[in-house]
Short mmCIF file of all heavy atoms in Angstrom, two decimals:
data_model
loop_
_atom_site.label_atom_id
_atom_site.label_comp_id
_atom_site.label_asym_id
_atom_site.label_seq_id
_atom_site.Cartn_x
_atom_site.Cartn_y
_atom_site.Cartn_z
N TYR A 72 -137.07 -99.94 169.53
CA TYR A 72 -136.36 -98.71 169.17
C TYR A 72 -136.65 -97.64 170.22
O TYR A 72 -137.81 -97.41 170.60
CB TYR A 72 -136.78 -98.19 167.79
CG TYR A 72 -135.72 -97.27 167.22
CD1 TYR A 72 -134.68 -97.79 166.46
CD2 TYR A 72 -135.71 -95.90 167.51
CE1 TYR A 72 -133.68 -96.97 165.98
CE2 TYR A 72 -134.72 -95.09 167.03
CZ TYR A 72 -133.70 -95.63 166.26
OH TYR A 72 -132.69 -94.81 165.81
N SER A 73 -135.57 -97.00 170.69
CA SER A 73 -135.67 -96.01 171.77
C SER A 73 -135.08 -94.69 171.32
O SER A 73 -134.07 -94.66 170.63
CB SER A 73 -134.93 -96.51 173.02
OG SER A 73 -135.31 -97.82 173.36
N LEU A 74 -135.72 -93.60 171.74
CA LEU A 74 -135.20 -92.24 171.54
C LEU A 74 -135.05 -91.59 172.91
O LEU A 74 -135.96 -91.64 173.74
CB LEU A 74 -136.14 -91.41 170.66
CG LEU A 74 -136.09 -91.68 169.16
CD1 LEU A 74 -137.20 -90.91 168.45
CD2 LEU A 74 -134.75 -91.31 168.57
N ALA A 75 -133.88 -90.98 173.14
CA ALA A 75 -133.59 -90.41 174.45
C ALA A 75 -132.97 -89.03 174.30
O ALA A 75 -132.41 -88.69 173.25
CB ALA A 75 -132.65 -91.33 175.23
N ASP A 76 -133.07 -88.24 175.36
CA ASP A 76 -132.39 -86.94 175.43
C ASP A 76 -130.91 -87.20 175.68
O ASP A 76 -130.54 -87.80 176.69
CB ASP A 76 -133.00 -86.10 176.56
CG ASP A 76 -132.47 -84.68 176.58
OD1 ASP A 76 -131.32 -84.46 176.14
OD2 ASP A 76 -133.19 -83.78 177.04
N THR A 77 -130.06 -86.76 174.77
CA THR A 77 -128.63 -87.04 174.88
C THR A 77 -128.01 -86.37 176.10
O THR A 77 -127.10 -86.93 176.73
CB THR A 77 -127.90 -86.57 173.61
OG1 THR A 77 -128.48 -87.22 172.48
CG2 THR A 77 -126.41 -86.90 173.66
N ASN A 78 -128.49 -85.20 176.46
CA ASN A 78 -127.85 -84.44 177.54
C ASN A 78 -128.11 -85.04 178.92
O ASN A 78 -127.17 -85.23 179.71
CB ASN A 78 -128.32 -82.98 177.51
CG ASN A 78 -127.81 -82.25 176.28
OD1 ASN A 78 -126.72 -82.54 175.77
ND2 ASN A 78 -128.59 -81.31 175.77
N ASP A 79 -129.36 -85.34 179.24
CA ASP A 79 -129.64 -85.90 180.57
C ASP A 79 -130.01 -87.38 180.53
O ASP A 79 -130.37 -87.96 181.55
CB ASP A 79 -130.73 -85.09 181.29
CG ASP A 79 -132.09 -85.22 180.62
OD1 ASP A 79 -132.20 -85.96 179.61
OD2 ASP A 79 -133.03 -84.58 181.10
N ARG A 80 -129.96 -88.01 179.33
CA ARG A 80 -130.09 -89.46 179.17
C ARG A 80 -131.45 -89.99 179.63
O ARG A 80 -131.55 -91.09 180.18
CB ARG A 80 -128.96 -90.18 179.90
CG ARG A 80 -127.59 -89.74 179.44
CD ARG A 80 -126.49 -90.49 180.12
NE ARG A 80 -125.18 -90.12 179.57
CZ ARG A 80 -124.03 -90.71 179.91
NH1 ARG A 80 -124.03 -91.68 180.80
NH2 ARG A 80 -122.90 -90.30 179.36
N ALA A 81 -132.49 -89.22 179.40
CA ALA A 81 -133.85 -89.66 179.74
C ALA A 81 -134.50 -90.27 178.51
O ALA A 81 -134.46 -89.69 177.42
CB ALA A 81 -134.68 -88.50 180.26
N ILE A 82 -135.14 -91.44 178.66
CA ILE A 82 -135.85 -92.08 177.57
C ILE A 82 -137.14 -91.30 177.33
O ILE A 82 -137.97 -91.15 178.23
CB ILE A 82 -136.18 -93.55 177.90
CG1 ILE A 82 -134.90 -94.32 178.28
CG2 ILE A 82 -136.87 -94.22 176.71
CD1 ILE A 82 -133.87 -94.39 177.19
N LEU A 83 -137.33 -90.79 176.10
CA LEU A 83 -138.50 -89.99 175.77
C LEU A 83 -139.53 -90.74 174.93
O LEU A 83 -140.72 -90.42 174.98
CB LEU A 83 -138.07 -88.73 175.00
CG LEU A 83 -137.08 -87.80 175.71
CD1 LEU A 83 -136.77 -86.60 174.82
CD2 LEU A 83 -137.63 -87.33 177.05
N GLN A 84 -139.08 -91.70 174.14
CA GLN A 84 -139.98 -92.47 173.29
C GLN A 84 -139.43 -93.88 173.13
O GLN A 84 -138.22 -94.09 173.14
CB GLN A 84 -140.11 -91.83 171.90
CG GLN A 84 -141.19 -90.77 171.78
CD GLN A 84 -142.59 -91.37 171.78
OE1 GLN A 84 -142.86 -92.39 172.39
NE2 GLN A 84 -143.51 -90.71 171.09
N MET A 85 -140.34 -94.83 172.96
CA MET A 85 -139.92 -96.22 172.82
C MET A 85 -141.08 -97.02 172.24
O MET A 85 -142.23 -96.80 172.58
CB MET A 85 -139.52 -96.77 174.19
CG MET A 85 -139.04 -98.20 174.21
SD MET A 85 -138.70 -98.72 175.89
CE MET A 85 -140.29 -98.42 176.65
N ASN A 86 -140.75 -97.95 171.35
CA ASN A 86 -141.78 -98.84 170.83
C ASN A 86 -141.16 -100.12 170.31
O ASN A 86 -139.95 -100.19 170.09
CB ASN A 86 -142.60 -98.16 169.72
CG ASN A 86 -141.82 -98.05 168.42
OD1 ASN A 86 -140.64 -97.73 168.43
ND2 ASN A 86 -142.49 -98.30 167.32
N VAL A 87 -141.99 -101.14 170.15
CA VAL A 87 -141.56 -102.43 169.62
C VAL A 87 -142.14 -102.59 168.22
O VAL A 87 -143.35 -102.44 168.02
CB VAL A 87 -142.01 -103.60 170.52
CG1 VAL A 87 -141.65 -104.93 169.88
CG2 VAL A 87 -141.36 -103.48 171.89
N VAL A 88 -141.28 -102.88 167.24
CA VAL A 88 -141.71 -103.10 165.86
C VAL A 88 -141.67 -104.60 165.58
O VAL A 88 -140.68 -105.26 165.87
CB VAL A 88 -140.79 -102.34 164.88
CG1 VAL A 88 -141.25 -102.59 163.43
CG2 VAL A 88 -140.77 -100.86 165.18
N ASP A 89 -142.77 -105.12 165.05
CA ASP A 89 -142.86 -106.52 164.65
C ASP A 89 -142.48 -106.64 163.19
O ASP A 89 -142.76 -105.75 162.38
CB ASP A 89 -144.29 -107.03 164.88
CG ASP A 89 -144.41 -108.54 164.74
OD1 ASP A 89 -144.33 -109.03 163.60
OD2 ASP A 89 -144.58 -109.22 165.77
N VAL A 90 -141.86 -107.75 162.82
CA VAL A 90 -141.41 -107.93 161.45
C VAL A 90 -142.59 -107.92 160.47
O VAL A 90 -142.42 -107.62 159.27
CB VAL A 90 -140.59 -109.23 161.32
CG1 VAL A 90 -141.50 -110.46 161.39
CG2 VAL A 90 -139.77 -109.26 160.03
N ARG A 91 -143.80 -108.21 160.95
CA ARG A 91 -144.98 -108.16 160.09
C ARG A 91 -145.29 -106.73 159.64
O ARG A 91 -145.91 -106.51 158.60
CB ARG A 91 -146.18 -108.76 160.81
CG ARG A 91 -146.14 -110.28 160.89
CD ARG A 91 -147.20 -110.84 161.79
NE ARG A 91 -146.84 -110.71 163.20
CZ ARG A 91 -147.46 -111.32 164.21
NH1 ARG A 91 -148.48 -112.13 163.96
NH2 ARG A 91 -147.06 -111.16 165.45
N GLU A 92 -144.86 -105.75 160.45
CA GLU A 92 -145.04 -104.35 160.06
C GLU A 92 -144.04 -103.92 159.00
O GLU A 92 -144.19 -102.86 158.39
CB GLU A 92 -144.89 -103.45 161.29
CG GLU A 92 -145.88 -103.74 162.41
CD GLU A 92 -145.61 -102.90 163.63
OE1 GLU A 92 -145.75 -101.66 163.53
OE2 GLU A 92 -145.25 -103.46 164.68
N ALA A 93 -143.00 -104.72 158.79
CA ALA A 93 -141.96 -104.42 157.81
C ALA A 93 -142.03 -105.35 156.61
O ALA A 93 -141.01 -105.60 155.96
CB ALA A 93 -140.58 -104.50 158.46
N ALA A 94 -143.20 -105.88 156.33
CA ALA A 94 -143.41 -106.80 155.21
C ALA A 94 -142.48 -108.00 155.27
O ALA A 94 -142.04 -108.51 154.24
CB ALA A 94 -143.23 -106.06 153.88
N GLY A 95 -142.18 -108.45 156.49
CA GLY A 95 -141.35 -109.64 156.66
C GLY A 95 -139.87 -109.40 156.52
O GLY A 95 -139.09 -110.35 156.56
N LYS A 96 -139.43 -108.14 156.35
CA LYS A 96 -138.02 -107.83 156.16
C LYS A 96 -137.46 -107.22 157.45
O LYS A 96 -137.73 -106.06 157.77
CB LYS A 96 -137.83 -106.87 154.99
CG LYS A 96 -138.32 -107.43 153.66
CD LYS A 96 -138.16 -106.42 152.54
CE LYS A 96 -138.68 -106.99 151.22
NZ LYS A 96 -138.56 -106.00 150.11
N SER A 97 -136.67 -108.01 158.19
CA SER A 97 -136.19 -107.56 159.49
C SER A 97 -135.23 -106.37 159.38
O SER A 97 -135.10 -105.59 160.33
CB SER A 97 -135.51 -108.72 160.22
OG SER A 97 -134.44 -109.24 159.45
N ASN A 98 -134.55 -106.22 158.23
CA ASN A 98 -133.63 -105.09 158.07
C ASN A 98 -134.35 -103.75 158.10
O ASN A 98 -133.73 -102.71 158.37
CB ASN A 98 -132.87 -105.22 156.74
CG ASN A 98 -131.80 -106.28 156.79
OD1 ASN A 98 -131.38 -106.69 157.86
ND2 ASN A 98 -131.36 -106.74 155.64
N ASN A 99 -135.65 -103.75 157.79
CA ASN A 99 -136.40 -102.48 157.73
C ASN A 99 -136.99 -102.08 159.07
O ASN A 99 -137.52 -100.97 159.20
CB ASN A 99 -137.53 -102.60 156.70
CG ASN A 99 -137.02 -102.83 155.30
OD1 ASN A 99 -135.87 -102.53 155.00
ND2 ASN A 99 -137.86 -103.37 154.43
N MET A 100 -136.93 -102.96 160.08
CA MET A 100 -137.62 -102.68 161.34
C MET A 100 -137.05 -101.47 162.06
O MET A 100 -137.79 -100.65 162.61
CB MET A 100 -137.57 -103.91 162.25
CG MET A 100 -138.42 -105.07 161.76
SD MET A 100 -138.68 -106.32 163.03
CE MET A 100 -137.01 -106.90 163.30
N GLU A 101 -135.72 -101.34 162.07
CA GLU A 101 -135.10 -100.23 162.80
C GLU A 101 -135.48 -98.89 162.18
O GLU A 101 -135.77 -97.93 162.88
CB GLU A 101 -133.58 -100.39 162.82
CG GLU A 101 -132.88 -99.40 163.74
CD GLU A 101 -131.46 -99.79 164.06
OE1 GLU A 101 -131.08 -100.94 163.79
OE2 GLU A 101 -130.72 -98.94 164.59
N ARG A 102 -135.53 -98.83 160.86
CA ARG A 102 -135.93 -97.59 160.18
C ARG A 102 -137.37 -97.24 160.48
O ARG A 102 -137.72 -96.08 160.72
CB ARG A 102 -135.69 -97.73 158.68
CG ARG A 102 -135.86 -96.43 157.88
CD ARG A 102 -137.22 -96.35 157.22
NE ARG A 102 -137.46 -97.51 156.39
CZ ARG A 102 -138.66 -97.86 155.96
NH1 ARG A 102 -139.74 -97.16 156.31
NH2 ARG A 102 -138.83 -98.94 155.21
N ILE A 103 -138.25 -98.26 160.51
CA ILE A 103 -139.67 -98.02 160.80
C ILE A 103 -139.84 -97.52 162.24
O ILE A 103 -140.58 -96.56 162.50
CB ILE A 103 -140.48 -99.32 160.57
CG1 ILE A 103 -140.52 -99.66 159.09
CG2 ILE A 103 -141.90 -99.18 161.13
CD1 ILE A 103 -141.15 -101.00 158.78
N GLY A 104 -139.14 -98.16 163.20
CA GLY A 104 -139.22 -97.71 164.58
C GLY A 104 -138.71 -96.29 164.75
O GLY A 104 -139.28 -95.48 165.49
N PHE A 105 -137.63 -95.97 164.07
CA PHE A 105 -137.05 -94.62 164.13
C PHE A 105 -138.04 -93.59 163.60
O PHE A 105 -138.29 -92.55 164.23
CB PHE A 105 -135.75 -94.58 163.32
CG PHE A 105 -135.19 -93.20 163.12
CD1 PHE A 105 -134.42 -92.60 164.09
CD2 PHE A 105 -135.42 -92.51 161.94
CE1 PHE A 105 -133.91 -91.33 163.91
CE2 PHE A 105 -134.90 -91.24 161.74
CZ PHE A 105 -134.14 -90.66 162.73
N GLU A 106 -138.62 -93.85 162.43
CA GLU A 106 -139.51 -92.87 161.81
C GLU A 106 -140.77 -92.66 162.64
O GLU A 106 -141.25 -91.53 162.79
CB GLU A 106 -139.88 -93.34 160.40
CG GLU A 106 -140.63 -92.30 159.59
CD GLU A 106 -140.80 -92.70 158.13
OE1 GLU A 106 -140.52 -93.86 157.80
OE2 GLU A 106 -141.21 -91.84 157.33
N LYS A 107 -141.34 -93.73 163.20
CA LYS A 107 -142.54 -93.61 164.02
C LYS A 107 -142.30 -92.67 165.21
O LYS A 107 -143.09 -91.78 165.49
CB LYS A 107 -142.97 -94.99 164.53
CG LYS A 107 -143.76 -95.82 163.53
CD LYS A 107 -144.23 -97.10 164.20
CE LYS A 107 -145.11 -97.93 163.28
NZ LYS A 107 -145.58 -99.16 163.95
N LYS A 108 -141.22 -92.90 165.91
CA LYS A 108 -140.97 -92.12 167.12
C LYS A 108 -140.51 -90.71 166.80
O LYS A 108 -140.83 -89.76 167.52
CB LYS A 108 -139.92 -92.83 167.99
CG LYS A 108 -140.35 -94.21 168.48
CD LYS A 108 -141.57 -94.14 169.38
CE LYS A 108 -142.87 -94.51 168.73
NZ LYS A 108 -144.05 -94.50 169.61
N MET A 109 -139.73 -90.54 165.72
CA MET A 109 -139.31 -89.20 165.32
C MET A 109 -140.51 -88.34 164.96
O MET A 109 -140.59 -87.15 165.34
CB MET A 109 -138.35 -89.29 164.14
CG MET A 109 -136.93 -89.64 164.50
SD MET A 109 -136.05 -88.26 165.27
CE MET A 109 -135.85 -87.16 163.87
N ASP A 110 -141.45 -88.89 164.23
CA ASP A 110 -142.62 -88.12 163.82
C ASP A 110 -143.44 -87.67 165.02
O ASP A 110 -144.06 -86.59 164.99
CB ASP A 110 -143.49 -88.95 162.87
CG ASP A 110 -142.82 -89.16 161.51
OD1 ASP A 110 -141.77 -88.52 161.26
OD2 ASP A 110 -143.32 -89.97 160.71
#
């Protein structure tokens, strides 16, 4: 999951979420990655 500045398109945050962090549910990984980097 990546977060970038929309105006100048610079990557500001990025991380890899493993399905084990989402209790084995791959649908939840994107939300977990988003929340981690947003916080």
Side-chain angles (χ1 to χ4, degrees):
Y72 202 89
S73 310
L74 283 173
D76 187 332
T77 303
N78 293 328
D79 67 2
R80 303 182 175 186
I82 305 298
L83 302 180
Q84 273 287 32
M85 181 183 57
N86 74 318
V87 175
V88 180
D89 191 288
V90 73
R91 285 171 282 193
E92 301 175 65
K96 299 177 181 179
S97 58
N98 285 342
N99 297 339
M100 290 195 296
E101 189 164 347
R102 189 261 304 163
I103 292 173
F105 170 83
E106 189 171 11
K107 279 185 176 181
K108 298 297 102 177
M109 280 286 289
D110 290 351

